[in-house]
Amino acid sequence: MRRNRRTDWSRRLVRETTLTVDDLIWPIFVRDGDEVEQVASMPGVSRLPVARAAEAAAEAAALGIPAIALFPFTDPGLRDEGGTEAFNPNNLVCQAVRAIRAAAPDIGIITDVALDPYTSHGHDGVMHGNEIVNDATVERLVEQALVQAAAGADIIAPSDMMDGRVGAIRPALDANGFGHVQIMSYAAKYASAFYGPFRDAVGSNKTLRGDKRTYQMDPGNTDEALREAEIDISEGADMVMVKPGLPYLDIVWRLKQTFGMPTFAYQVSGEYAMIRGAADRGWIDGERAMFESLQAFKRAGADGVLTYFAVDVARRLRAG
């Protein structure tokens, strides 16, 4: 067995799984104003003003990254119980979509459909008492998706985990002239401890009341992920996603093997922060850990990965 491992050229020749720039989606946080703002819990990640986000997307396109995903840090004064800023056609996400489309016309733009960046309670949907109500939330998610599609989003990515939202969004897009817009469903999104830095980045950590276990998946379940994905695919999802990533590679594998659909994973903020934090302290080789972690997604069957390492990886791949 060691003969094939003896030299670099031989290892490359027999390698089963290869990571390329085509596997990368870069999440970008946008904010109001003109200042770049570091996310304290995510070293190397910043909230970007719209103009800088457009420049960043242009850089990503120049590196060959196929798509970026947008997430807003909404001014606390614009958050309310119903998340109504989500339906504003001139909200941060819509502004960023238009600016990025002008700066980088050939890059794919993915927009998140969920209310948590816009609600005063930090949940992904409409809250009645202590309950996140499903059908009323779905109605608002449809409205949010249409606003984003009108702004120029290429892929609508519902991350809310409400039942039936793909089945409501798909016909609404089709009926309003957006039949070309794809849906990347967060089909298996778990109630995870790995989201903390992301919630810092979008500002929902301070506002969240309680937790999200009544609508996000229980980390102990796998068969449930298959049922979730099957429903979303039957309702019109073009792609499915597993979130978080590394702790749920078995779910990536099962979804890909069962459905053969384009399957993605999100290397979430907590995963990124652990690798980057350990690397910054000299505890691990950060570059090797970055590549090894992303290769694990490909080995598990993912067609692509949302990762905050995307630009770093693309630069290193270009450099050979």
Side-chain angles (χ1 to χ4, degrees):
M1 296 298 291
R2 289 183 61 189
R3 282 191 290 271
N4 285 343
R5 304 172 190 154
R6 191 172 64 88
T7 59
D8 176 68
W9 65 262
S10 181
R11 290 191 296 272
R12 288 188 288 120
L13 191 65
V14 302
R15 184 168 293 145
E16 299 169 37
T17 306
T18 303
L19 181 72
T20 76
V21 72
D22 295 335
D23 300 317
L24 304 174
I25 297 170
W26 187 28
I28 296 176
F29 298 108
V30 292
R31 67 181 300 267
D32 268 326
D34 301 315
E35 300 298 320
V36 173
E37 189 173 60
Q38 299 294 312
V39 179
S41 54
M42 298 179 70
V45 175
S46 301
R47 303 183 189 101
L48 302 177
V50 168
R52 290 292 296 274
E55 293 172 4
E59 179 190 4
L63 288 167
I65 294 172
I68 54 96
L70 293 175
F71 299 93
F73 176 80
T74 305
D75 187 307
L78 296 174
R79 299 170 186 254
D80 58 28
E81 288 287 311
T84 55
E85 180 65 10
F87 322 127
N88 176 3
N90 199 40
N91 64 26
L92 263 176
V93 166
C94 293
Q95 291 179 46
V97 168
R98 291 190 287 267
I100 290 167
R101 178 62 64 228
D106 296 326
I107 201 166
I109 303 175
I110 302 170
T111 52
D112 178 62
V113 172
L115 299 184
D116 54 321
Y118 307 98
T119 55
S120 54
H121 47 69
H123 281 284
D124 296 46
V126 177
M127 198 170 191
H128 288 172
N130 292 321
E131 180 184 0
I132 305 303
V133 292
N134 194 90
D135 294 356
T137 297
V138 169
E139 291 177 8
R140 287 160 175 78
L141 297 175
V142 169
E143 186 177 352
Q144 183 183 17
L146 291 175
V147 165
Q148 294 175 354
D154 298 296
I155 297 178
I156 298 298
S159 66
D160 56 285
M161 290 302 287
M162 297 297 117
D163 294 334
R165 84 273 207 222
V166 174
I169 291 170
R170 180 73 270 166
L173 290 172
D174 295 346
N176 285 273
F178 303 119
H180 60 285
V181 174
Q182 297 153 271
I183 295 178
M184 176 188 284
S185 168
Y186 286 64
K189 182 177 180 180
Y190 285 83
S192 171
F194 286 90
Y195 301 146
F198 175 92
R199 291 174 183 166
D200 287 341
V202 299
S204 63
N205 245 347
K206 294 180 180 178
T207 60
L208 181 61
R209 301 180 203 163
D211 58 52
K212 302 189 178 187
R213 286 180 290 182
T214 64
Y215 51 97
Q216 293 180 353
M217 285 183 56
D218 188 314
N221 293 351
T222 62
D223 291 342
E224 183 183 1
L226 299 184
R227 296 196 296 272
E228 286 278 11
E230 184 176 23
I231 291 168
D232 288 357
I233 292 165
S234 72
E235 291 179 350
D238 302 287
M239 315 167 189
V240 293
M241 189 201 300
V242 175
K243 182 180 182 183
L246 289 175
Y248 296 90
L249 292 180
D250 59 319
I251 309 301
V252 175
W253 174 259
R254 289 196 70 187
L255 262 59
K256 187 63 176 179
Q257 291 297 305
T258 301
F259 301 110
M261 287 286 289
T263 303
F264 295 81
Y266 199 141
Q267 186 177 46
V268 298
S269 58
E271 299 171 61
Y272 168 86
M274 288 193 300
I275 294 172
R276 181 62 189 266
D280 287 349
R281 287 161 177 78
W283 296 341
I284 60 173
D285 182 326
E287 183 167 314
R288 287 185 62 188
M290 173 178 71
F291 275 99
E292 186 177 341
S293 67
L294 292 173
Q295 201 165 36
F297 289 108
K298 294 293 294 179
R299 202 174 60 245
D303 296 288
V305 186
L306 287 84
T307 176
Y308 303 98
F309 289 121
V311 168
D312 291 336
V313 170
R315 287 172 180 156
R316 285 160 174 74
L317 288 172
R318 174 162 289 192

